[in-house]
Amino acid sequence: MKDCKLHYTDSIHYELEQTSRLMKKVTTQLFEKLEIGLSIDEYAALDTVSVNAGICQRDLAKLILKDRANTGRILDSLEQKGFITRFIDTKNNRLVKKMGITERGLKELDTINKKVKQYLESVTKKISDEDIERVQETLKSFRLELEKVVEINI
Amino acid sequence: MKDCKLHYTDSIHYELEQTSRLMKKVTTQLFEKLEIGLSIDEYAALDTVSVNAGICQRDLAKLILKDRANTGRILDSLEQKGFITRFIDTKNNRLVKKMGITERGLKELDTINKKVKQYLESVTKKISDEDIERVQETLKSFRLELEKVVEINI
DNA sequence: AAAAATATGTTGCATTTACAACAATATTAT
DNA sequence: ATAATATTGTTGTAAATGCAACATATTTTT
């Protein structure tokens, strides 16, 4: 049945989407099993805020690649749980909502990282660090190429 | 602000999810621009059926990694457009819905492939074939590891 | 033979997600 | 100075997605 043409299930597009989808599933299940009170998206946002203190919402949206609407909603939840604080400030003379992680947020982040670390490592330990790194680098240049082509308006 | 811990935006999880999301966006925009009358998911299903004649719905769901419900809906659409035919058959003595691609479906698939090919190649041409292949292989073993861990019930 | 478990597909619903429209403010162009 | 454009965030809505429940039929267990 197979011919020499490149079919969907043989493409890098397929491999990427499937792996990414699976990874998300694994992580979601892990978060549920460990009874972590945050969604993965909330965790990703919290972690990103923790290393980018004073970032504004739109810039965060670009980093976590959600649109502005969803980023705002995720932050609402994190703020309501007391893990971040938001404050009005200016960036290029424009009013923006900046944010920072709270003490409680830092503590929570640390707890989650400790809980999750060994589980996530068990998934990647079968693959050599070199391979992981190489994949990550290639993916990044791939992603940067994609960014040139895609029309995003965040 | 950065410390030596591995943060979300430095992880392979991040790189995978972002690249995959971007790729989907690029492909969706491409399909719209070229006025292709199928969604990417429909295209993926159609292409997969074309190389797996007589596959049943559940097995297809496993390949395209959608759940049974969505796979059924995608196939409804493809059948309604006349690109596949479905028929009842048995597999291990159980009644299943099998399917095959129609003449029209084959023609459509060919048209889409011709339209899309050069555009998709332009995205990956900046990256060497070796790198692409290596990434694909590593992703596959990564995905297989993930499959051992995740609980799927399709 | 009856009951329990398994395989397959469909339906309904709740969540997630993206996109468009809007509001408010600041900058740039005319 | 006034109008047009750009930046940022919020709200509303429609589409996609996954999950649980159901329906049907078959196999396995008791």
Side-chain angles (χ1 to χ4, degrees):
Chain A
M1 244 341 112
K2 290 205 175 180
D3 50 281
C4 61
K5 270 188 298 179
L6 188 69
H7 284 284
Y8 175 65
T9 48
D10 304 315
S11 69
I12 190 171
H13 302 244
Y14 174 80
E15 205 56 71
L16 259 173
E17 181 149 351
Q18 305 308 60
T19 312
S20 160
R21 199 191 301 252
L22 256 182
M23 205 194 54
K24 190 163 199 173
K25 216 182 183 56
V26 168
T27 318
T28 306
Q29 286 177 6
L30 181 61
F31 269 51
E32 274 163 16
K33 199 172 292 170
L34 298 182
E35 291 178 343
I36 292 169
L38 295 183
S39 72
I40 335 166
D41 289 335
E42 287 174 343
Y43 164 72
L46 187 61
D47 185 69
T48 306
V49 170
S50 81
V51 285
N52 294 280
I55 194 174
C56 77
Q57 284 194 201
R58 194 174 196 138
D59 288 343
L60 180 68
K62 282 175 193 161
L63 277 179
I64 64 176
L65 216 67
K66 306 267 175 205
D67 68 356
R68 283 176 288 159
N70 280 314
T71 303
R73 290 183 189 118
I74 291 172
L75 292 175
D76 287 344
S77 171
L78 285 176
E79 186 179 30
Q80 191 255 319
K81 287 170 181 166
F83 296 145
I84 62 165
T85 46
R86 293 203 268 187
F87 51 93
I88 303 291
D89 201 347
T90 57
K91 191 188 97 179
N92 303 329
N93 266 346
R94 290 178 191 280
L95 289 177
V96 293
K97 268 193 170 176
K98 294 186 176 178
M99 68 207 79
I101 193 166
T102 63
E103 273 305 314
R104 242 181 97 191
L106 262 178
K107 230 166 136 182
E108 178 75 8
L109 190 57
D110 207 48
T111 308
I112 297 178
N113 279 332
K114 274 180 191 150
K115 275 192 192 173
V116 164
K117 207 180 169 201
Q118 53 186 329
Y119 286 90
L120 292 188
E121 274 174 358
S122 75
V123 173
T124 46
K125 79 178 170 199
K126 292 276 177 62
I127 302 164
S128 78
D129 289 352
E130 277 173 61
D131 280 350
I132 295 274
E133 222 165 288
R134 201 159 31 184
V135 165
Q136 223 168 323
E137 268 171 41
T138 314
L139 283 184
K140 190 165 185 179
S141 34
F142 187 41
R143 180 163 61 82
L144 295 179
E145 281 305 311
L146 286 172
E147 273 171 9
K148 288 181 197 161
V149 179
V150 81
E151 294 154 20
I152 315 182
N153 57 328
I154 289 179
Chain B
M1 248 332 117
K2 289 206 174 181
D3 50 279
C4 62
K5 272 187 298 181
L6 188 70
H7 284 285
Y8 175 65
T9 47
D10 304 315
S11 68
I12 189 171
H13 301 244
Y14 174 78
E15 204 55 69
L16 259 173
E17 182 150 349
Q18 305 310 60
T19 313
S20 159
R21 198 191 302 252
L22 256 183
M23 203 193 54
K24 189 165 197 171
K25 215 181 185 54
V26 168
T27 319
T28 306
Q29 285 177 7
L30 181 61
F31 269 51
E32 274 163 17
K33 199 173 293 171
L34 298 183
E35 290 179 342
I36 292 169
L38 295 183
S39 73
I40 334 166
D41 290 335
E42 286 175 344
Y43 164 72
L46 187 61
D47 185 70
T48 306
V49 170
S50 82
V51 284
N52 293 280
I55 195 173
C56 78
Q57 284 194 200
R58 194 172 196 139
D59 288 343
L60 180 68
K62 283 175 193 161
L63 276 179
I64 64 176
L65 217 66
K66 306 267 175 203
D67 69 354
R68 284 175 289 158
N70 279 315
T71 304
R73 290 181 191 121
I74 291 171
L75 292 175
D76 287 345
S77 171
L78 285 176
E79 186 180 29
Q80 191 256 317
K81 288 170 181 167
F83 296 145
I84 62 164
T85 45
R86 292 203 269 188
F87 51 93
I88 303 292
D89 201 348
T90 58
K91 189 188 98 179
N92 303 328
N93 264 348
R94 291 178 191 279
L95 288 178
V96 293
K97 269 192 168 177
K98 294 188 176 177
M99 69 206 78
I101 194 167
T102 63
E103 272 305 313
R104 242 181 96 190
L106 262 178
K107 229 167 137 181
E108 178 75 7
L109 189 58
D110 207 49
T111 308
I112 296 177
N113 279 332
K114 273 180 191 150
K115 275 191 191 173
V116 164
K117 208 179 168 198
Q118 53 186 328
Y119 286 90
L120 292 187
E121 275 173 359
S122 75
V123 172
T124 46
K125 79 178 169 199
K126 291 277 178 60
I127 302 163
S128 77
D129 288 352
E130 277 174 61
D131 280 350
I132 295 274
E133 223 164 287
R134 204 159 28 186
V135 165
Q136 223 168 323
E137 268 172 41
T138 314
L139 282 184
K140 191 167 185 178
S141 34
F142 187 41
R143 180 163 60 83
L144 295 180
E145 281 305 312
L146 286 172
E147 273 171 9
K148 288 181 197 160
V149 180
V150 81
E151 294 153 20
I152 316 183
N153 56 329
I154 289 177

